[in-house]
Amino acid sequence: MPVSSSQPYHSVAFNPHPGKGELTLLFSGQEQTKPQHIVGPQVLDYHLIHYVVSGRGTFRCMGKEYQLTRGSSFFIFPGELVGYSSDESEPWSYRWLGFKGPRADEYLNVMGISQHKPVAVTRNDRKMRALFHQLEQTLHQRQPHCDMQAQGYLRLILAQYAQDLVANTAPHGEASGIQQQVEQAIRWLTFQYHQPISIEQMAQSLGYHRTHLSKMFKQHTGLSPMSFLLKIRMERAKLLLHEPLTIEQVASSVGFTDPLYFSKQFRKWYGRSPSEYRQDHTANPYDCSQ
């Protein structure tokens, strides 16, 4: 049944025989939303990709808003507080897929997708729509072998995203090469922020000299790597303070072994303690601007 551009429509197909490999496809679906259709705020325990077929909408993640139209995609990561809503006059239609797996973050990281960079623009709209359609149709068949076929479509979709992202950020000379090094360091920090890490560890892991990496990082971001790491941790802590967690649990979740030191850093960064921040913002889970 085709999706109408004017009549709301919803369809979803679940994987009847999900495997347990490095990537596991859970479900796929599509929807023509109503005007101002709202989802969230919510936290998921799996990865979710939405591909916008038509219309307009807003995606909210990590305290930021992204305005998305046809050909755009937004990526939801496990444990992140997110929400999204369709436009009032041009409600969007999108296709989606959900997956999980021990290497899911790694695949997205290589593509340049993270919680801090959760959107992408597709160059080959026709091919991407076809892949999502074929994936959903495969799951609707509910055959014993459909998991293997669905896994194939999942990898083709991720490969298409990777191809488009590489094409959109193709290097041009030395400056782009340095930019790639900095972006790689940012991705590393984004995925390791909850660990007790150092610049030496990051430089060794990425294969760069510590002094060179620190210099290039500050030139491109305006912050030292450790200041940038603290920024990531504080932004993440703000979001976690909207959750039913103790201050000690929030501190541990963002890489602090000492909750008192965490509270001191949080006060330096935002001008109030974690407890005061929580009391001031319990009414609005998206009010992360202060």
Side-chain angles (χ1 to χ4, degrees):
M1 180 177 179
V3 175
S4 168
S5 60
S6 58
Q7 296 298 320
Y9 174 80
H10 176 93
S11 174
V12 62
F14 292 90
N15 187 349
H17 308 287
K20 297 182 180 180
E22 57 188 23
L23 290 178
T24 300
L25 192 284
L26 302 175
F27 55 82
S28 179
Q30 59 179 307
E31 182 172 8
Q32 170 61 57
T33 65
K34 298 179 181 179
Q36 296 182 306
H37 174 73
I38 298 175
V39 178
Q42 64 181 7
V43 177
L44 304 178
D45 60 358
Y46 52 85
H47 290 81
L48 186 61
I49 303 175
H50 283 74
Y51 176 73
V52 181
V53 177
S54 63
R56 300 175 180 275
T58 302
F59 173 58
R60 304 175 185 86
C61 176
M62 297 291 289
K64 296 182 179 179
E65 288 192 354
Y66 304 87
Q67 305 299 321
L68 303 179
T69 58
R70 175 177 175 175
S72 300
S73 298
F74 57 95
F75 295 71
I76 298 175
F77 285 75
E80 293 297 335
L81 182 68
V82 300
Y84 43 102
S85 57
S86 62
D87 186 74
E88 180 179 5
S89 58
E90 297 180 62
W92 55 12
S93 169
Y94 43 52
R95 290 182 175 272
W96 68 81
L97 64 86
F99 67 101
K100 62 180 181 179
R103 298 191 64 185
D105 282 347
E106 176 185 342
Y107 277 98
L108 296 178
N109 184 18
V110 170
M111 293 160 50
I113 297 295
S114 70
Q115 296 95 325
H116 291 270
K117 194 175 181 181
V119 302
V121 178
T122 302
R123 304 178 71 193
N124 195 331
D125 177 67
R126 184 176 180 180
K127 183 175 182 180
M128 190 64 84
R129 281 189 294 167
L131 288 172
F132 271 89
H133 170 75
Q134 291 167 335
L135 172 58
E136 183 182 356
Q137 292 304 307
T138 297
L139 295 181
H140 275 305
Q141 295 173 9
R142 302 186 62 83
Q143 298 296 322
H145 62 273
C146 74
D147 176 61
M148 290 187 291
Q149 191 173 354
Q151 298 288 358
Y153 282 124
L154 170 60
R155 289 177 179 273
L156 286 173
I157 289 172
L158 294 178
Q160 187 63 46
Y161 278 120
Q163 181 179 331
D164 289 341
L165 288 166
V166 168
N168 290 336
T169 59
H172 298 283
E174 181 180 357
S176 294
I178 294 174
Q179 181 66 31
Q180 285 187 324
Q181 294 176 19
V182 174
E183 290 179 353
Q184 188 178 14
I186 289 175
R187 289 196 296 270
W188 192 89
L189 290 173
T190 300
F191 283 99
Q192 299 292 330
Y193 71 88
H194 57 285
Q195 301 289 345
I197 58 179
S198 66
I199 298 305
E200 288 79 6
Q201 289 175 313
M202 180 177 71
Q204 182 178 7
S205 177
L206 299 178
Y208 302 130
H209 190 277
R210 178 187 183 279
T211 302
H212 165 77
L213 183 59
S214 297
K215 181 180 179 181
M216 294 302 100
F217 195 98
K218 189 165 187 178
Q219 286 182 355
H220 281 74
T221 67
L223 297 172
S224 68
M226 292 310 293
S227 294
F228 192 89
L229 173 62
L230 182 60
K231 179 177 182 290
I232 293 175
R233 285 172 167 171
M234 293 297 101
E235 290 177 348
R236 177 61 174 159
K238 278 204 306 182
L239 294 178
L240 290 177
L241 285 170
H242 292 282
E243 301 299 314
L245 301 173
T246 66
I247 302 301
E248 290 77 10
Q249 289 172 326
V250 172
S252 177
S253 297
V254 296
F256 288 87
T257 57
D258 185 348
L260 293 179
Y261 181 67
F262 161 71
S263 296
K264 182 184 296 185
Q265 292 298 316
F266 193 93
R267 182 182 288 277
K268 282 184 179 180
W269 200 263
Y270 295 115
R272 71 194 78 177
S273 70
S275 298
E276 292 169 340
Y277 176 86
R278 169 173 277 168
Q279 292 173 358
D280 293 341
H281 294 79
T282 52
N284 186 352
Y286 280 132
D287 187 7
C288 300
S289 58
Q290 300 180 12

